[in-house]
PDB file of all heavy atoms in Angstrom:
ATOM      1  N   HIS T   9     107.913  98.386 108.880  1.00 98.00           N
ATOM      2  CA  HIS T   9     107.649  99.732 108.347  1.00 98.00           C
ATOM      3  C   HIS T   9     108.675 100.032 107.253  1.00 98.00           C
ATOM      4  O   HIS T   9     109.881 100.037 107.515  1.00 98.00           O
ATOM      5  CB  HIS T   9     107.741 100.741 109.494  1.00 98.00           C
ATOM      6  CG  HIS T   9     107.441 102.161 109.088  1.00 98.00           C
ATOM      7  ND1 HIS T   9     107.480 103.200 109.981  1.00 98.00           N
ATOM      8  CD2 HIS T   9     107.094 102.708 107.897  1.00 98.00           C
ATOM      9  CE1 HIS T   9     107.169 104.330 109.350  1.00 98.00           C
ATOM     10  NE2 HIS T   9     106.943 104.055 108.084  1.00 98.00           N
ATOM     11  N   VAL T  10     108.190 100.264 106.061  1.00 98.00           N
ATOM     12  CA  VAL T  10     109.061 100.591 104.931  1.00 98.00           C
ATOM     13  C   VAL T  10     108.762 102.021 104.492  1.00 98.00           C
ATOM     14  O   VAL T  10     107.600 102.386 104.294  1.00 98.00           O
ATOM     15  CB  VAL T  10     108.830  99.624 103.746  1.00 98.00           C
ATOM     16  CG1 VAL T  10     109.686 100.005 102.548  1.00 98.00           C
ATOM     17  CG2 VAL T  10     109.125  98.179 104.161  1.00 98.00           C
ATOM     18  N   ALA T  11     109.801 102.824 104.367  1.00 98.00           N
ATOM     19  CA  ALA T  11     109.652 104.197 103.875  1.00 98.00           C
ATOM     20  C   ALA T  11     110.278 104.260 102.477  1.00 98.00           C
ATOM     21  O   ALA T  11     111.337 103.669 102.249  1.00 98.00           O
ATOM     22  CB  ALA T  11     110.364 105.173 104.806  1.00 98.00           C
ATOM     23  N   ILE T  12     109.624 104.930 101.556  1.00 98.00           N
ATOM     24  CA  ILE T  12     110.160 104.988 100.190  1.00 98.00           C
ATOM     25  C   ILE T  12     110.188 106.420  99.659  1.00 98.00           C
ATOM     26  O   ILE T  12     109.182 107.140  99.724  1.00 98.00           O
ATOM     27  CB  ILE T  12     109.331 104.135  99.191  1.00 98.00           C
ATOM     28  CG1 ILE T  12     109.078 102.718  99.731  1.00 98.00           C
ATOM     29  CG2 ILE T  12     110.044 104.047  97.848  1.00 98.00           C
ATOM     30  CD1 ILE T  12     108.339 101.804  98.752  1.00 98.00           C
ATOM     31  N   VAL T  13     111.340 106.828  99.143  1.00 98.00           N
ATOM     32  CA  VAL T  13     111.431 108.065  98.372  1.00 98.00           C
ATOM     33  C   VAL T  13     111.212 107.668  96.912  1.00 98.00           C
ATOM     34  O   VAL T  13     112.034 106.983  96.303  1.00 98.00           O
ATOM     35  CB  VAL T  13     112.801 108.746  98.538  1.00 98.00           C
ATOM     36  CG1 VAL T  13     112.915 109.955  97.608  1.00 98.00           C
ATOM     37  CG2 VAL T  13     113.012 109.177  99.980  1.00 98.00           C
ATOM     38  N   LEU T  14     110.058 108.071  96.394  1.00 97.00           N
ATOM     39  CA  LEU T  14     109.674 107.730  95.029  1.00 97.00           C
ATOM     40  C   LEU T  14     110.386 108.696  94.100  1.00 97.00           C
ATOM     41  O   LEU T  14     109.936 109.820  93.944  1.00 97.00           O
ATOM     42  CB  LEU T  14     108.162 107.925  94.850  1.00 97.00           C
ATOM     43  CG  LEU T  14     107.218 107.520  95.993  1.00 97.00           C
ATOM     44  CD1 LEU T  14     105.812 107.978  95.688  1.00 97.00           C
ATOM     45  CD2 LEU T  14     107.280 106.028  96.183  1.00 97.00           C
ATOM     46  N   ASP T  15     111.472 108.273  93.504  1.00 97.00           N
ATOM     47  CA  ASP T  15     112.207 109.235  92.680  1.00 97.00           C
ATOM     48  C   ASP T  15     112.447 108.665  91.287  1.00 97.00           C
ATOM     49  O   ASP T  15     112.672 107.470  91.127  1.00 97.00           O
ATOM     50  CB  ASP T  15     113.549 109.572  93.349  1.00 97.00           C
ATOM     51  CG  ASP T  15     114.158 110.847  92.775  1.00 97.00           C
ATOM     52  OD1 ASP T  15     113.431 111.621  92.114  1.00 97.00           O
ATOM     53  OD2 ASP T  15     115.368 111.067  92.981  1.00 97.00           O
ATOM     54  N   GLY T  16     112.388 109.546  90.305  1.00 98.00           N
ATOM     55  CA  GLY T  16     112.717 109.153  88.941  1.00 98.00           C
ATOM     56  C   GLY T  16     111.558 109.227  87.940  1.00 98.00           C
ATOM     57  O   GLY T  16     111.729 108.847  86.786  1.00 98.00           O
ATOM     58  N   ASN T  17     110.412 109.744  88.376  1.00 98.00           N
ATOM     59  CA  ASN T  17     109.276 109.845  87.448  1.00 98.00           C
ATOM     60  C   ASN T  17     109.607 110.696  86.230  1.00 98.00           C
ATOM     61  O   ASN T  17     109.270 110.358  85.095  1.00 98.00           O
ATOM     62  CB  ASN T  17     108.077 110.503  88.136  1.00 98.00           C
ATOM     63  CG  ASN T  17     107.498 109.657  89.244  1.00 98.00           C
ATOM     64  OD1 ASN T  17     107.858 108.496  89.391  1.00 98.00           O
ATOM     65  ND2 ASN T  17     106.602 110.247  90.020  1.00 98.00           N
ATOM     66  N   GLY T  18     110.256 111.838  86.483  1.00 97.00           N
ATOM     67  CA  GLY T  18     110.548 112.777  85.403  1.00 97.00           C
ATOM     68  C   GLY T  18     111.523 112.165  84.397  1.00 97.00           C
ATOM     69  O   GLY T  18     111.304 112.236  83.185  1.00 97.00           O
ATOM     70  N   ARG T  19     112.589 111.542  84.908  1.00 98.00           N
ATOM     71  CA  ARG T  19     113.584 110.938  84.009  1.00 98.00           C
ATOM     72  C   ARG T  19     112.972 109.783  83.221  1.00 98.00           C
ATOM     73  O   ARG T  19     113.270 109.588  82.047  1.00 98.00           O
ATOM     74  CB  ARG T  19     114.796 110.449  84.820  1.00 98.00           C
ATOM     75  CG  ARG T  19     115.763 111.576  85.160  1.00 98.00           C
ATOM     76  CD  ARG T  19     116.730 111.153  86.227  1.00 98.00           C
ATOM     77  NE  ARG T  19     116.087 111.152  87.532  1.00 98.00           N
ATOM     78  CZ  ARG T  19     116.577 110.551  88.610  1.00 98.00           C
ATOM     79  NH1 ARG T  19     117.706 109.873  88.536  1.00 98.00           N
ATOM     80  NH2 ARG T  19     115.942 110.627  89.757  1.00 98.00           N
ATOM     81  N   TRP T  20     112.101 109.035  83.857  1.00 98.00           N
ATOM     82  CA  TRP T  20     111.430 107.918  83.182  1.00 98.00           C
ATOM     83  C   TRP T  20     110.661 108.445  81.969  1.00 98.00           C
ATOM     84  O   TRP T  20     110.720 107.871  80.879  1.00 98.00           O
ATOM     85  CB  TRP T  20     110.484 107.228  84.168  1.00 98.00           C
ATOM     86  CG  TRP T  20     109.754 106.035  83.653  1.00 98.00           C
ATOM     87  CD1 TRP T  20     110.156 104.731  83.727  1.00 98.00           C
ATOM     88  CD2 TRP T  20     108.473 106.026  83.000  1.00 98.00           C
ATOM     89  NE1 TRP T  20     109.212 103.916  83.156  1.00 98.00           N
ATOM     90  CE2 TRP T  20     108.171 104.683  82.698  1.00 98.00           C
ATOM     91  CE3 TRP T  20     107.558 107.019  82.633  1.00 98.00           C
ATOM     92  CZ2 TRP T  20     106.991 104.301  82.057  1.00 98.00           C
ATOM     93  CZ3 TRP T  20     106.388 106.641  81.988  1.00 98.00           C
ATOM     94  CH2 TRP T  20     106.117 105.304  81.703  1.00 98.00           C
ATOM     95  N   ALA T  21     109.962 109.558  82.175  1.00 98.00           N
ATOM     96  CA  ALA T  21     109.166 110.140  81.084  1.00 98.00           C
ATOM     97  C   ALA T  21     110.077 110.742  80.008  1.00 98.00           C
ATOM     98  O   ALA T  21     109.861 110.535  78.809  1.00 98.00           O
ATOM     99  CB  ALA T  21     108.235 111.210  81.648  1.00 98.00           C
TER     100      ALA T  21
END
Side-chain angles (χ1 to χ4, degrees):
H9 182 180
V10 177
I12 311 184
V13 174
L14 321 172
D15 197 16
N17 293 350
R19 279 166 284 164
W20 182 91

